mmCIF file of all heavy atoms in Angstrom:
data_model
loop_
_atom_site.group_PDB
_atom_site.id
_atom_site.type_symbol
_atom_site.label_atom_id
_atom_site.label_comp_id
_atom_site.label_asym_id
_atom_site.label_seq_id
_atom_site.Cartn_x
_atom_site.Cartn_y
_atom_site.Cartn_z
ATOM 1 N N SER K 917 98.030 125.242 83.484
ATOM 2 C CA SER K 917 99.491 125.615 83.833
ATOM 3 C C SER K 917 99.602 125.615 85.409
ATOM 4 O O SER K 917 98.609 125.538 86.174
ATOM 5 C CB SER K 917 99.878 126.901 83.355
ATOM 6 O OG SER K 917 99.039 127.991 83.850
ATOM 7 N N SER K 918 100.843 125.705 85.783
ATOM 8 C CA SER K 918 101.172 125.680 87.209
ATOM 9 C C SER K 918 102.514 126.482 87.432
ATOM 10 O O SER K 918 103.288 126.623 86.436
ATOM 11 C CB SER K 918 101.447 124.225 87.782
ATOM 12 O OG SER K 918 101.955 124.188 89.029
ATOM 13 N N SER K 919 102.700 127.029 88.539
ATOM 14 C CA SER K 919 103.969 127.818 88.852
ATOM 15 C C SER K 919 105.047 126.694 89.129
ATOM 16 O O SER K 919 106.150 127.086 89.142
ATOM 17 C CB SER K 919 103.680 128.616 90.161
ATOM 18 O OG SER K 919 103.340 127.769 91.222
ATOM 19 N N LEU K 920 104.593 125.452 89.248
ATOM 20 C CA LEU K 920 105.621 124.445 89.495
ATOM 21 C C LEU K 920 105.988 123.860 88.090
ATOM 22 O O LEU K 920 105.446 124.167 87.093
ATOM 23 C CB LEU K 920 105.033 123.258 90.350
ATOM 24 C CG LEU K 920 104.534 123.662 91.719
ATOM 25 C CD1 LEU K 920 103.727 122.540 92.384
ATOM 26 C CD2 LEU K 920 105.571 124.143 92.575
ATOM 27 N N SER K 921 107.081 122.945 88.086
ATOM 28 C CA SER K 921 107.568 122.354 86.865
ATOM 29 C C SER K 921 106.787 121.008 86.580
ATOM 30 O O SER K 921 106.593 120.198 87.469
ATOM 31 C CB SER K 921 109.007 122.150 86.856
ATOM 32 O OG SER K 921 109.683 123.350 86.953
ATOM 33 N N LEU K 922 106.383 120.765 85.292
ATOM 34 C CA LEU K 922 105.839 119.488 84.973
ATOM 35 C C LEU K 922 106.898 118.440 84.911
ATOM 36 O O LEU K 922 107.860 118.579 84.148
ATOM 37 C CB LEU K 922 105.213 119.654 83.532
ATOM 38 C CG LEU K 922 104.523 118.370 83.123
ATOM 39 C CD1 LEU K 922 103.296 117.992 83.977
ATOM 40 C CD2 LEU K 922 104.051 118.549 81.622
ATOM 41 N N SER K 923 106.796 117.419 85.716
ATOM 42 C CA SER K 923 107.837 116.346 85.809
ATOM 43 C C SER K 923 107.338 115.091 85.201
ATOM 44 O O SER K 923 108.297 114.201 84.893
ATOM 45 C CB SER K 923 108.309 116.226 87.217
ATOM 46 O OG SER K 923 107.197 115.607 87.979
ATOM 47 N N MET K 924 106.015 114.908 85.115
ATOM 48 C CA MET K 924 105.649 113.664 84.485
ATOM 49 C C MET K 924 104.278 113.834 83.721
ATOM 50 O O MET K 924 103.335 114.575 84.334
ATOM 51 C CB MET K 924 105.425 112.651 85.635
ATOM 52 C CG MET K 924 105.279 111.185 85.158
ATOM 53 S SD MET K 924 105.303 109.981 86.552
ATOM 54 C CE MET K 924 106.992 110.292 87.145
ATOM 55 N N TYR K 925 104.147 113.265 82.643
ATOM 56 C CA TYR K 925 102.933 113.207 81.719
ATOM 57 C C TYR K 925 102.616 111.717 81.334
ATOM 58 O O TYR K 925 103.533 110.994 80.921
ATOM 59 C CB TYR K 925 103.169 114.024 80.461
ATOM 60 C CG TYR K 925 102.203 113.803 79.487
ATOM 61 C CD1 TYR K 925 101.104 114.705 79.290
ATOM 62 C CD2 TYR K 925 102.243 112.819 78.481
ATOM 63 C CE1 TYR K 925 100.085 114.557 78.318
ATOM 64 C CE2 TYR K 925 101.281 112.598 77.476
ATOM 65 C CZ TYR K 925 100.178 113.532 77.480
ATOM 66 O OH TYR K 925 99.213 113.411 76.425
ATOM 67 N N ARG K 926 101.420 111.239 81.763
ATOM 68 C CA ARG K 926 101.000 109.947 81.381
ATOM 69 C C ARG K 926 99.626 109.940 80.745
ATOM 70 O O ARG K 926 98.723 110.604 81.315
ATOM 71 C CB ARG K 926 101.029 109.002 82.581
ATOM 72 C CG ARG K 926 102.313 108.768 83.253
ATOM 73 C CD ARG K 926 103.238 107.881 82.429
ATOM 74 N NE ARG K 926 104.468 107.512 83.097
ATOM 75 C CZ ARG K 926 105.673 108.113 82.852
ATOM 76 N NH1 ARG K 926 105.802 109.073 82.007
ATOM 77 N NH2 ARG K 926 106.725 107.738 83.617
ATOM 78 N N GLN K 927 99.436 109.373 79.596
ATOM 79 C CA GLN K 927 98.306 109.373 78.940
ATOM 80 C C GLN K 927 97.651 107.960 79.038
ATOM 81 O O GLN K 927 98.404 106.933 78.917
ATOM 82 C CB GLN K 927 98.515 109.627 77.398
ATOM 83 C CG GLN K 927 97.274 109.739 76.662
ATOM 84 C CD GLN K 927 97.557 110.162 75.215
ATOM 85 O OE1 GLN K 927 98.468 110.975 74.971
ATOM 86 N NE2 GLN K 927 96.884 109.612 74.240
ATOM 87 N N SER K 928 96.345 107.836 79.243
ATOM 88 C CA SER K 928 95.732 106.613 79.284
ATOM 89 C C SER K 928 94.301 106.679 78.637
ATOM 90 O O SER K 928 93.830 107.812 78.155
ATOM 91 C CB SER K 928 95.497 106.109 80.701
ATOM 92 O OG SER K 928 94.436 106.863 81.407
ATOM 93 N N SER K 929 93.622 105.568 78.507
ATOM 94 C CA SER K 929 92.260 105.670 77.924
ATOM 95 C C SER K 929 91.335 106.447 78.788
ATOM 96 O O SER K 929 90.301 106.840 78.291
ATOM 97 C CB SER K 929 91.754 104.221 77.613
ATOM 98 O OG SER K 929 91.733 103.527 78.910
ATOM 99 N N ASP K 930 91.572 106.624 80.015
ATOM 100 C CA ASP K 930 90.762 107.388 80.919
ATOM 101 C C ASP K 930 91.003 108.929 80.938
ATOM 102 O O ASP K 930 90.202 109.714 81.475
ATOM 103 C CB ASP K 930 90.772 106.826 82.414
ATOM 104 C CG ASP K 930 90.149 105.516 82.541
ATOM 105 O OD1 ASP K 930 89.506 105.030 81.584
ATOM 106 O OD2 ASP K 930 90.279 104.963 83.660
ATOM 107 N N GLY K 931 92.111 109.326 80.401
ATOM 108 C CA GLY K 931 92.605 110.705 80.431
ATOM 109 C C GLY K 931 94.030 110.863 80.513
ATOM 110 O O GLY K 931 94.788 109.955 80.255
ATOM 111 N N VAL K 932 94.408 112.023 81.047
ATOM 112 C CA VAL K 932 95.911 112.427 81.218
ATOM 113 C C VAL K 932 96.194 112.609 82.668
ATOM 114 O O VAL K 932 95.437 113.260 83.411
ATOM 115 C CB VAL K 932 96.199 113.615 80.379
ATOM 116 C CG1 VAL K 932 97.614 114.055 80.564
ATOM 117 C CG2 VAL K 932 96.077 113.274 78.876
ATOM 118 N N SER K 933 97.295 112.063 83.157
ATOM 119 C CA SER K 933 97.822 112.387 84.478
ATOM 120 C C SER K 933 98.985 113.270 84.397
ATOM 121 O O SER K 933 99.971 112.991 83.504
ATOM 122 C CB SER K 933 98.165 111.095 85.189
ATOM 123 O OG SER K 933 97.292 110.088 85.114
ATOM 124 N N LEU K 934 99.019 114.315 85.174
ATOM 125 C CA LEU K 934 100.171 115.266 85.203
ATOM 126 C C LEU K 934 100.691 115.366 86.544
ATOM 127 O O LEU K 934 99.830 115.373 87.542
ATOM 128 C CB LEU K 934 99.697 116.686 84.758
ATOM 129 C CG LEU K 934 99.114 116.800 83.393
ATOM 130 C CD1 LEU K 934 98.541 118.254 83.175
ATOM 131 C CD2 LEU K 934 100.052 116.494 82.331
ATOM 132 N N VAL K 935 102.145 115.473 86.683
ATOM 133 C CA VAL K 935 102.716 115.619 88.008
ATOM 134 C C VAL K 935 103.515 116.830 87.948
ATOM 135 O O VAL K 935 104.405 116.849 87.111
ATOM 136 C CB VAL K 935 103.547 114.446 88.384
ATOM 137 C CG1 VAL K 935 104.253 114.697 89.735
ATOM 138 C CG2 VAL K 935 102.672 113.075 88.552
ATOM 139 N N PHE K 936 103.250 117.796 88.804
ATOM 140 C CA PHE K 936 104.092 119.000 88.921
ATOM 141 C C PHE K 936 104.806 118.962 90.234
ATOM 142 O O PHE K 936 104.306 118.541 91.242
ATOM 143 C CB PHE K 936 103.071 120.286 88.946
ATOM 144 C CG PHE K 936 102.463 120.512 87.577
ATOM 145 C CD1 PHE K 936 101.162 119.981 87.341
ATOM 146 C CD2 PHE K 936 103.065 121.312 86.526
ATOM 147 C CE1 PHE K 936 100.470 120.155 86.157
ATOM 148 C CE2 PHE K 936 102.389 121.504 85.380
ATOM 149 C CZ PHE K 936 101.180 121.046 85.157
ATOM 150 N N ASN K 937 106.066 119.519 90.230
ATOM 151 C CA ASN K 937 106.812 119.761 91.407
ATOM 152 C C ASN K 937 107.924 120.782 91.241
ATOM 153 O O ASN K 937 108.040 121.221 90.171
ATOM 154 C CB ASN K 937 107.414 118.424 91.989
ATOM 155 C CG ASN K 937 108.310 117.786 90.993
ATOM 156 O OD1 ASN K 937 108.940 118.289 90.173
ATOM 157 N ND2 ASN K 937 108.229 116.268 91.029
ATOM 158 N N ARG K 938 108.565 121.079 92.365
ATOM 159 C CA ARG K 938 109.744 121.999 92.187
ATOM 160 C C ARG K 938 110.887 121.131 91.914
ATOM 161 O O ARG K 938 111.113 120.080 92.407
ATOM 162 C CB ARG K 938 109.925 122.753 93.548
ATOM 163 C CG ARG K 938 108.921 123.837 93.848
ATOM 164 C CD ARG K 938 109.314 124.624 95.085
ATOM 165 N NE ARG K 938 108.910 124.027 96.265
ATOM 166 C CZ ARG K 938 107.687 123.884 96.784
ATOM 167 N NH1 ARG K 938 106.759 124.370 96.079
ATOM 168 N NH2 ARG K 938 107.385 123.271 97.842
ATOM 169 N N GLU K 939 111.758 121.713 91.046
ATOM 170 C CA GLU K 939 112.906 120.866 90.573
ATOM 171 C C GLU K 939 113.846 120.560 91.634
ATOM 172 O O GLU K 939 114.516 119.553 91.647
ATOM 173 C CB GLU K 939 113.565 121.626 89.459
ATOM 174 C CG GLU K 939 112.830 121.824 88.139
ATOM 175 C CD GLU K 939 113.495 122.636 87.008
ATOM 176 O OE1 GLU K 939 114.733 122.977 87.190
ATOM 177 O OE2 GLU K 939 112.862 122.917 86.094
ATOM 178 N N ASN K 940 113.841 121.428 92.693
ATOM 179 C CA ASN K 940 114.782 121.215 93.838
ATOM 180 C C ASN K 940 114.037 120.476 94.981
ATOM 181 O O ASN K 940 114.633 120.251 96.074
ATOM 182 C CB ASN K 940 115.379 122.521 94.324
ATOM 183 C CG ASN K 940 114.312 123.447 94.827
ATOM 184 O OD1 ASN K 940 113.105 123.200 94.659
ATOM 185 N ND2 ASN K 940 114.758 124.609 95.322
ATOM 186 N N ASP K 941 112.764 120.090 94.847
ATOM 187 C CA ASP K 941 111.965 119.360 95.832
ATOM 188 C C ASP K 941 111.080 118.364 95.310
ATOM 189 O O ASP K 941 109.889 118.747 95.067
ATOM 190 C CB ASP K 941 111.263 120.298 96.734
ATOM 191 C CG ASP K 941 110.665 119.634 98.067
ATOM 192 O OD1 ASP K 941 110.756 118.420 98.165
ATOM 193 O OD2 ASP K 941 110.016 120.364 98.743
ATOM 194 N N LEU K 942 111.587 117.241 94.857
ATOM 195 C CA LEU K 942 110.710 116.134 94.204
ATOM 196 C C LEU K 942 109.724 115.513 95.177
ATOM 197 O O LEU K 942 108.946 114.699 94.685
ATOM 198 C CB LEU K 942 111.605 115.129 93.573
ATOM 199 C CG LEU K 942 112.635 115.801 92.459
ATOM 200 C CD1 LEU K 942 113.462 114.559 91.965
ATOM 201 C CD2 LEU K 942 111.850 116.485 91.382
ATOM 202 N N ASN K 943 109.815 115.829 96.581
ATOM 203 C CA ASN K 943 108.936 115.154 97.522
ATOM 204 C C ASN K 943 107.611 115.903 97.552
ATOM 205 O O ASN K 943 106.653 115.456 98.244
ATOM 206 C CB ASN K 943 109.573 115.165 98.846
ATOM 207 C CG ASN K 943 110.566 114.025 98.938
ATOM 208 O OD1 ASN K 943 110.218 112.965 98.901
ATOM 209 N ND2 ASN K 943 111.766 114.447 99.131
ATOM 210 N N ASP K 944 107.432 117.179 97.052
ATOM 211 C CA ASP K 944 106.332 117.980 97.188
ATOM 212 C C ASP K 944 105.634 118.085 95.763
ATOM 213 O O ASP K 944 106.039 118.833 94.975
ATOM 214 C CB ASP K 944 106.706 119.383 97.669
ATOM 215 C CG ASP K 944 105.450 120.204 97.994
ATOM 216 O OD1 ASP K 944 104.285 119.653 98.049
ATOM 217 O OD2 ASP K 944 105.632 121.499 98.084
ATOM 218 N N ASN K 945 104.574 117.271 95.553
ATOM 219 C CA ASN K 945 104.042 117.086 94.223
ATOM 220 C C ASN K 945 102.573 117.519 94.153
ATOM 221 O O ASN K 945 101.837 117.428 95.172
ATOM 222 C CB ASN K 945 104.028 115.565 93.774
ATOM 223 C CG ASN K 945 105.403 115.044 93.657
ATOM 224 O OD1 ASN K 945 106.198 115.354 92.758
ATOM 225 N ND2 ASN K 945 105.813 114.263 94.732
#
Side-chain angles (χ1 to χ4, degrees):
S917 63
S918 173
S919 60
L920 303 172
S921 294
L922 181 65
S923 65
M924 195 170 295
Y925 167 95
R926 296 288 187 259
Q927 183 178 325
S928 73
S929 59
D930 288 356
V932 172
S933 307
L934 304 173
V935 176
F936 292 91
N937 55 33
R938 284 187 281 287
E939 292 177 10
N940 60 353
D941 186 3
L942 302 179
N943 283 297
D944 187 16
N945 300 283

